[in-house]
Amino acid sequence: MKKLFLASSFDGVASLLPGFIGEDLSGKKVAFIPTAGKLEENTFYVDADRKALEELGLIVEDLDVSSVLCDEAKDRINNSDYLFVCGGNTFFLLQELKRRGIDKLVIEHINKGKPYISTSAGSLIMQKKIINDNADRVEDAPDLKGDFSALSIIDFYIYVHYGHNYYGNDDECIDKYYSNLELIKINDKQVVTVTGEKVEVLSVG
């Protein structure tokens, strides 16, 4: 059964994770994929995500899928209890997952029931495709060659960081790029959870 915890910002909703997972997190291993932030100038959010996981008692094992050998990536994912994929450039993340075939491995583990936890770009790759709404630099992922098909784990779309207007007016962006799509908007204090076929939006505060 699929178990997805899809957030905008993990440290804002970390308190909801233990209840969603439904087991003691202490000592569990999480394969932590920071790759989406690799080309970003400021990656404070990666550090914040890592710290929030550690504060829950999880053992965080970094896995940059753009630089490790494929066999090593497979071993780390196979030996992890959970997967965590950070935010950053969604296109670059998707490119690196596809380039090494790790996208198929992630899909396999999700379908087997391994919990998948993510923020921002890591949440967006669960969609059928990535919408090129100018939020990320598509030129950082030339190997995609315009094919933005993603992992197709969910059949709806997510708009992350709603309310911050990072890339212009959020509502105008939604009207322009997402008007014909089934869309869930979440701010940094909300998370979309998927348990099997059940989809919920949970909020902190």
Side-chain angles (χ1 to χ4, degrees):
M1 180 172 64
K2 291 183 295 188
K3 287 186 72 70
L4 313 176
F5 189 90
L6 311 176
S8 286
S9 174
F10 182 68
D11 62 334
V13 295
S15 61
L16 300 174
L17 184 64
F20 172 71
I21 296 293
E23 63 182 4
D24 184 9
L25 303 185
S26 182
K28 297 288 186 179
K29 293 182 180 179
V30 55
F32 184 84
I33 300 176
T35 306
K38 188 171 183 177
L39 304 183
E40 303 298 301
E41 192 170 316
N42 194 334
T43 57
F44 69 92
Y45 51 88
V46 175
D47 295 333
D49 288 347
R50 184 185 289 107
K51 181 180 178 182
L53 289 166
E54 291 173 342
E55 288 177 347
L56 291 172
L58 289 157
I59 298 171
V60 178
E61 299 184 339
D62 276 37
L63 174 59
D64 177 7
V65 298
S66 69
S67 62
V68 300
L69 296 175
C70 292
D71 287 344
E72 182 180 354
K74 290 177 181 178
D75 286 344
R76 291 198 200 177
I77 291 174
N78 287 337
N79 293 323
S80 68
D81 296 294
Y82 315 130
L83 302 176
F84 189 103
V85 183
C86 293
N89 188 309
T90 312
F91 299 112
F92 180 72
L93 171 62
L94 185 62
Q95 170 185 273
E96 296 307 299
L97 289 170
K98 286 184 173 183
R99 185 164 64 89
R100 295 169 177 268
I102 297 172
D103 57 332
K104 295 180 177 63
L105 185 63
V106 170
I107 292 169
E108 176 187 338
H109 279 266
I110 289 174
N111 287 335
K112 287 181 178 178
K114 181 170 289 187
Y116 177 92
I117 310 155
S118 59
T119 63
S120 199
S123 299
L124 298 180
I125 62 169
M126 292 291 99
Q127 301 171 164
K128 293 179 180 177
K129 66 178 181 178
I130 305 305
I131 305 300
N132 187 9
D133 59 5
N134 300 315
D136 291 325
R137 298 184 305 275
V138 70
E139 57 268 25
D140 288 339
D143 291 353
L144 292 180
K145 300 184 186 327
D147 177 10
F148 304 142
S149 57
L151 276 63
S152 295
I153 297 295
I154 58 177
D155 58 8
F156 56 91
Y157 290 78
I158 301 175
Y159 191 92
V160 294
H161 306 299
Y162 182 74
H164 281 284
N165 297 301
Y166 284 142
Y167 313 105
N169 184 278
D170 286 335
D171 291 323
E172 290 179 1
C173 182
I174 289 169
D175 287 342
K176 183 174 181 180
Y177 296 103
Y178 299 88
S179 60
N180 296 320
L181 301 175
E182 181 181 350
L183 182 69
I184 296 177
K185 302 176 292 187
I186 54 172
N187 60 38
D188 288 358
K189 294 291 185 178
Q190 294 178 304
V191 58
V192 179
T193 62
V194 179
T195 307
E197 300 303 317
K198 183 180 180 182
V199 179
E200 293 185 284
V201 177
L202 306 179
S203 301
V204 173

mmCIF file of all heavy atoms in Angstrom, residues 41-61:
data_model
loop_
_atom_site.group_PDB
_atom_site.id
_atom_site.type_symbol
_atom_site.label_atom_id
_atom_site.label_comp_id
_atom_site.label_asym_id
_atom_site.label_seq_id
_atom_site.Cartn_x
_atom_site.Cartn_y
_atom_site.Cartn_z
ATOM 1 N N GLU A 41 21.878 28.103 -4.972
ATOM 2 C CA GLU A 41 22.841 28.932 -4.248
ATOM 3 C C GLU A 41 22.649 28.827 -2.744
ATOM 4 O O GLU A 41 23.610 28.788 -1.983
ATOM 5 C CB GLU A 41 22.674 30.395 -4.697
ATOM 6 C CG GLU A 41 23.794 31.301 -4.247
ATOM 7 C CD GLU A 41 23.730 32.673 -4.890
ATOM 8 O OE1 GLU A 41 23.495 32.760 -6.112
ATOM 9 O OE2 GLU A 41 23.906 33.651 -4.156
ATOM 10 N N ASN A 42 21.412 28.746 -2.315
ATOM 11 C CA ASN A 42 21.106 28.685 -0.889
ATOM 12 C C ASN A 42 20.338 27.402 -0.605
ATOM 13 O O ASN A 42 19.261 27.189 -1.170
ATOM 14 C CB ASN A 42 20.280 29.910 -0.472
ATOM 15 C CG ASN A 42 20.222 30.076 1.030
ATOM 16 O OD1 ASN A 42 20.355 29.111 1.785
ATOM 17 N ND2 ASN A 42 20.013 31.303 1.481
ATOM 18 N N THR A 43 20.888 26.560 0.240
ATOM 19 C CA THR A 43 20.240 25.270 0.529
ATOM 20 C C THR A 43 19.923 25.123 2.019
ATOM 21 O O THR A 43 20.001 24.034 2.570
ATOM 22 C CB THR A 43 21.126 24.106 0.069
ATOM 23 O OG1 THR A 43 22.411 24.202 0.718
ATOM 24 C CG2 THR A 43 21.328 24.126 -1.435
ATOM 25 N N PHE A 44 19.538 26.217 2.647
ATOM 26 C CA PHE A 44 19.187 26.173 4.067
ATOM 27 C C PHE A 44 18.072 25.172 4.336
ATOM 28 O O PHE A 44 18.018 24.535 5.390
ATOM 29 C CB PHE A 44 18.751 27.563 4.544
ATOM 30 C CG PHE A 44 17.443 28.026 3.966
ATOM 31 C CD1 PHE A 44 16.248 27.785 4.615
ATOM 32 C CD2 PHE A 44 17.406 28.691 2.738
ATOM 33 C CE1 PHE A 44 15.038 28.198 4.066
ATOM 34 C CE2 PHE A 44 16.207 29.098 2.184
ATOM 35 C CZ PHE A 44 15.017 28.851 2.842
ATOM 36 N N TYR A 45 17.171 25.011 3.367
ATOM 37 C CA TYR A 45 16.021 24.130 3.545
ATOM 38 C C TYR A 45 16.443 22.659 3.614
ATOM 39 O O TYR A 45 15.788 21.850 4.284
ATOM 40 C CB TYR A 45 15.002 24.335 2.416
ATOM 41 C CG TYR A 45 15.591 24.270 1.023
ATOM 42 C CD1 TYR A 45 15.720 23.075 0.341
ATOM 43 C CD2 TYR A 45 16.050 25.429 0.395
ATOM 44 C CE1 TYR A 45 16.274 23.017 -0.924
ATOM 45 C CE2 TYR A 45 16.616 25.384 -0.875
ATOM 46 C CZ TYR A 45 16.727 24.177 -1.534
ATOM 47 O OH TYR A 45 17.284 24.121 -2.777
ATOM 48 N N VAL A 46 17.524 22.311 2.936
ATOM 49 C CA VAL A 46 18.035 20.942 3.022
ATOM 50 C C VAL A 46 18.524 20.662 4.437
ATOM 51 O O VAL A 46 18.218 19.616 5.024
ATOM 52 C CB VAL A 46 19.170 20.717 2.009
ATOM 53 C CG1 VAL A 46 19.786 19.327 2.187
ATOM 54 C CG2 VAL A 46 18.656 20.879 0.587
ATOM 55 N N ASP A 47 19.271 21.599 5.004
ATOM 56 C CA ASP A 47 19.754 21.455 6.377
ATOM 57 C C ASP A 47 18.593 21.405 7.368
ATOM 58 O O ASP A 47 18.626 20.637 8.339
ATOM 59 C CB ASP A 47 20.687 22.610 6.739
ATOM 60 C CG ASP A 47 21.957 22.611 5.905
ATOM 61 O OD1 ASP A 47 22.366 21.518 5.453
ATOM 62 O OD2 ASP A 47 22.525 23.700 5.684
ATOM 63 N N ALA A 48 17.557 22.215 7.105
ATOM 64 C CA ALA A 48 16.394 22.237 7.997
ATOM 65 C C ALA A 48 15.657 20.905 7.952
ATOM 66 O O ALA A 48 15.208 20.391 8.988
ATOM 67 C CB ALA A 48 15.458 23.378 7.603
ATOM 68 N N ASP A 49 15.527 20.339 6.755
ATOM 69 C CA ASP A 49 14.870 19.034 6.623
ATOM 70 C C ASP A 49 15.656 17.955 7.362
ATOM 71 O O ASP A 49 15.085 17.136 8.083
ATOM 72 C CB ASP A 49 14.748 18.646 5.146
ATOM 73 C CG ASP A 49 13.719 19.465 4.392
ATOM 74 O OD1 ASP A 49 12.915 20.160 5.041
ATOM 75 O OD2 ASP A 49 13.720 19.420 3.147
ATOM 76 N N ARG A 50 16.969 17.949 7.157
ATOM 77 C CA ARG A 50 17.818 16.945 7.801
ATOM 78 C C ARG A 50 17.714 17.045 9.323
ATOM 79 O O ARG A 50 17.573 16.019 10.022
ATOM 80 C CB ARG A 50 19.264 17.114 7.353
ATOM 81 C CG ARG A 50 20.199 16.051 7.894
ATOM 82 C CD ARG A 50 21.653 16.317 7.526
ATOM 83 N NE ARG A 50 21.912 16.108 6.109
ATOM 84 C CZ ARG A 50 22.118 17.087 5.238
ATOM 85 N NH1 ARG A 50 22.067 18.366 5.639
ATOM 86 N NH2 ARG A 50 22.358 16.833 3.974
ATOM 87 N N LYS A 51 17.777 18.269 9.835
ATOM 88 C CA LYS A 51 17.705 18.474 11.278
ATOM 89 C C LYS A 51 16.361 18.007 11.841
ATOM 90 O O LYS A 51 16.308 17.363 12.896
ATOM 91 C CB LYS A 51 17.918 19.955 11.608
ATOM 92 C CG LYS A 51 17.883 20.261 13.102
ATOM 93 C CD LYS A 51 18.110 21.741 13.366
ATOM 94 C CE LYS A 51 18.026 22.053 14.852
ATOM 95 N NZ LYS A 51 18.204 23.508 15.122
ATOM 96 N N ALA A 52 15.283 18.306 11.126
ATOM 97 C CA ALA A 52 13.952 17.908 11.589
ATOM 98 C C ALA A 52 13.818 16.388 11.639
ATOM 99 O O ALA A 52 13.197 15.833 12.556
ATOM 100 C CB ALA A 52 12.882 18.504 10.682
ATOM 101 N N LEU A 53 14.400 15.700 10.675
ATOM 102 C CA LEU A 53 14.379 14.234 10.684
ATOM 103 C C LEU A 53 15.172 13.685 11.859
ATOM 104 O O LEU A 53 14.726 12.757 12.557
ATOM 105 C CB LEU A 53 14.949 13.700 9.372
ATOM 106 C CG LEU A 53 14.079 13.889 8.122
ATOM 107 C CD1 LEU A 53 14.905 13.629 6.868
ATOM 108 C CD2 LEU A 53 12.857 12.987 8.151
ATOM 109 N N GLU A 54 16.345 14.248 12.084
ATOM 110 C CA GLU A 54 17.188 13.792 13.191
ATOM 111 C C GLU A 54 16.510 14.029 14.533
ATOM 112 O O GLU A 54 16.629 13.191 15.455
ATOM 113 C CB GLU A 54 18.537 14.490 13.133
ATOM 114 C CG GLU A 54 19.393 14.058 11.936
ATOM 115 C CD GLU A 54 20.660 14.872 11.783
ATOM 116 O OE1 GLU A 54 20.746 15.975 12.370
ATOM 117 O OE2 GLU A 54 21.563 14.405 11.062
ATOM 118 N N GLU A 55 15.786 15.126 14.647
ATOM 119 C CA GLU A 55 15.082 15.419 15.895
ATOM 120 C C GLU A 55 13.947 14.439 16.167
ATOM 121 O O GLU A 55 13.508 14.282 17.301
ATOM 122 C CB GLU A 55 14.557 16.853 15.877
ATOM 123 C CG GLU A 55 15.674 17.893 16.016
ATOM 124 C CD GLU A 55 15.173 19.322 15.935
ATOM 125 O OE1 GLU A 55 14.002 19.531 15.538
ATOM 126 O OE2 GLU A 55 15.961 20.243 16.271
ATOM 127 N N LEU A 56 13.488 13.760 15.123
ATOM 128 C CA LEU A 56 12.481 12.710 15.286
ATOM 129 C C LEU A 56 13.105 11.366 15.632
ATOM 130 O O LEU A 56 12.391 10.376 15.818
ATOM 131 C CB LEU A 56 11.643 12.578 14.010
ATOM 132 C CG LEU A 56 10.703 13.737 13.680
ATOM 133 C CD1 LEU A 56 10.088 13.536 12.295
ATOM 134 C CD2 LEU A 56 9.603 13.874 14.728
ATOM 135 N N GLY A 57 14.433 11.330 15.706
ATOM 136 C CA GLY A 57 15.125 10.102 16.066
ATOM 137 C C GLY A 57 15.553 9.251 14.893
ATOM 138 O O GLY A 57 16.056 8.130 15.075
ATOM 139 N N LEU A 58 15.402 9.772 13.672
ATOM 140 C CA LEU A 58 15.756 9.014 12.482
ATOM 141 C C LEU A 58 17.254 9.084 12.194
ATOM 142 O O LEU A 58 17.914 10.081 12.504
ATOM 143 C CB LEU A 58 14.988 9.557 11.273
ATOM 144 C CG LEU A 58 13.487 9.252 11.267
ATOM 145 C CD1 LEU A 58 12.745 10.258 10.406
ATOM 146 C CD2 LEU A 58 13.238 7.841 10.749
ATOM 147 N N ILE A 59 17.788 8.019 11.608
ATOM 148 C CA ILE A 59 19.169 7.999 11.155
ATOM 149 C C ILE A 59 19.163 8.433 9.697
ATOM 150 O O ILE A 59 18.601 7.755 8.832
ATOM 151 C CB ILE A 59 19.776 6.588 11.286
ATOM 152 C CG1 ILE A 59 19.781 6.152 12.758
ATOM 153 C CG2 ILE A 59 21.188 6.565 10.709
ATOM 154 C CD1 ILE A 59 20.164 4.696 12.952
ATOM 155 N N VAL A 60 19.771 9.576 9.423
ATOM 156 C CA VAL A 60 19.733 10.168 8.083
ATOM 157 C C VAL A 60 20.985 9.782 7.312
ATOM 158 O O VAL A 60 22.110 10.053 7.748
ATOM 159 C CB VAL A 60 19.617 11.704 8.175
ATOM 160 C CG1 VAL A 60 19.618 12.327 6.786
ATOM 161 C CG2 VAL A 60 18.357 12.097 8.936
ATOM 162 N N GLU A 61 20.795 9.131 6.170
ATOM 163 C CA GLU A 61 21.906 8.707 5.331
ATOM 164 C C GLU A 61 21.798 9.412 3.981
ATOM 165 O O GLU A 61 20.902 9.117 3.192
ATOM 166 C CB GLU A 61 21.902 7.191 5.170
ATOM 167 C CG GLU A 61 22.059 6.455 6.507
ATOM 168 C CD GLU A 61 22.160 4.950 6.342
ATOM 169 O OE1 GLU A 61 21.720 4.434 5.299
ATOM 170 O OE2 GLU A 61 22.682 4.298 7.264
#
